[in-house]
Amino acid sequence: MPARIYRGILIALQAIMAVELLLVFRERQWMNAFLVMAIMAIIFSPAVIGRRLRVRIPPEFQVLAVLFVFAALFLGEIHSYYMRFWWWDIALHTSSGLLMGILGFLLIYVLNADERIDIHMRTRFMALFAFLFAVTVGTLWEIFEFAMDQFFGTTMQKPMLGDPSGLTDTMWDMIVNALGALAISALGGWYMKRGQRSFIEVWIGRFIEGNPRLFRR
């Protein structure tokens, strides 16, 4: 994806949220105003962190991260998509499984590409690592939601299918997260076993090529 397309997407999302920020200020919805500003900061963070740490993050990774944050926080929390569409939370947790699976593959490729680390992993183990990494992150997120609800009185665990406790919501979140992780790890492993480059390897290759100093001896 050309960098100009990513910049265009970023500008469009920031413009939408800038308008939203003006509206919530006019309505004196201070909590929503804080959330909008926090989301805007999060969306800008990959570019800022990349410049400060001198790390080039491929536009594809940045677009996926930005769109996920926008859908989860801006649409989900501020515009109540979680309540308006029963499938919104499920779709996002499935997507998070896919994203974390890709990140798991990235970690494996970074280790294999780093000449300072003598490590070579088989295809099946790489796919298994990506799957377990995504499931672990998803599980930690559910623990975070439980802790926030218990200690701060939030409602991150939402009633679902007649269960007001949030347990059903938590279990379905973990299930679809695992399914998303399984799909991306199986796809990545299948491509590697056939000796073909998947889009995952293309993106990761761009990350490695764009950051050669991270992989020097």
Side-chain angles (χ1 to χ4, degrees):
M1 175 183 292
R4 64 177 181 275
I5 296 179
Y6 166 70
R7 287 194 295 268
I9 294 174
L10 184 62
I11 291 172
L13 294 179
Q14 294 288 15
I16 292 172
M17 287 186 290
V19 173
E20 181 73 18
L21 186 60
L22 292 176
L23 293 175
V24 295
F25 268 126
R26 189 180 65 179
E27 299 294 329
R28 297 185 178 182
Q29 299 176 3
W30 308 123
M31 180 57 69
N32 282 346
F34 172 77
L35 286 175
V36 172
M37 289 188 290
I39 295 168
M40 294 174 74
I42 292 172
I43 287 179
F44 266 126
S45 62
V48 174
I49 292 173
R51 284 195 296 268
R52 290 186 65 87
L53 299 181
R54 292 185 299 160
V55 175
R56 292 185 60 187
I57 303 174
E60 292 85 357
F61 285 119
Q62 297 188 49
V63 166
L64 289 175
V66 164
L67 291 178
F68 183 81
V69 170
F70 182 81
L73 298 180
F74 185 76
L75 297 178
E77 294 292 345
I78 295 177
H79 286 276
S80 303
Y81 273 38
Y82 291 122
M83 305 302 295
R84 295 168 61 183
F85 305 105
W86 65 268
W87 48 266
W88 191 257
D89 190 44
I90 292 177
L92 285 177
H93 278 277
T94 305
S95 300
S96 70
L98 296 172
L99 292 175
M100 290 300 104
I102 293 174
L103 182 57
F105 274 113
L106 173 60
L107 294 176
I108 288 289
Y109 273 86
V110 167
L111 291 176
N112 280 336
D114 193 336
E115 296 178 347
R116 296 168 297 184
I117 302 176
D118 185 16
I119 183 171
H120 300 282
M121 302 180 186
R122 294 184 178 181
T123 298
R124 290 181 180 177
F125 182 81
M126 294 175 68
L128 178 62
F129 177 87
F131 171 76
L132 294 178
F133 177 82
V135 170
T136 299
V137 173
T139 301
L140 291 175
W141 176 258
E142 295 303 321
I143 294 173
F144 170 76
E145 286 190 349
F146 174 78
M148 291 295 291
D149 289 354
Q150 291 295 311
F151 296 112
F152 298 100
T154 61
T155 56
M156 298 188 72
Q157 295 176 296
K158 295 173 173 59
M160 184 179 185
L161 300 177
D163 177 13
S165 69
L167 176 60
T168 300
D169 173 64
T170 296
M171 292 309 302
W172 272 111
D173 288 349
M174 296 178 68
I175 290 170
V176 297
N177 178 79
L179 290 176
L182 178 63
I184 200 67
S185 59
L187 179 64
W190 181 76
Y191 270 103
M192 287 187 294
K193 189 173 182 179
R194 290 171 59 90
Q196 299 178 359
R197 294 194 69 185
S198 67
F199 69 94
I200 302 173
E201 292 178 276
V202 171
W203 294 355
I204 293 172
R206 291 177 185 172
F207 177 81
I208 295 173
E209 293 170 4
N211 300 278
R213 68 181 184 83
L214 299 178
F215 308 99
R216 293 174 183 167
R217 288 187 180 274

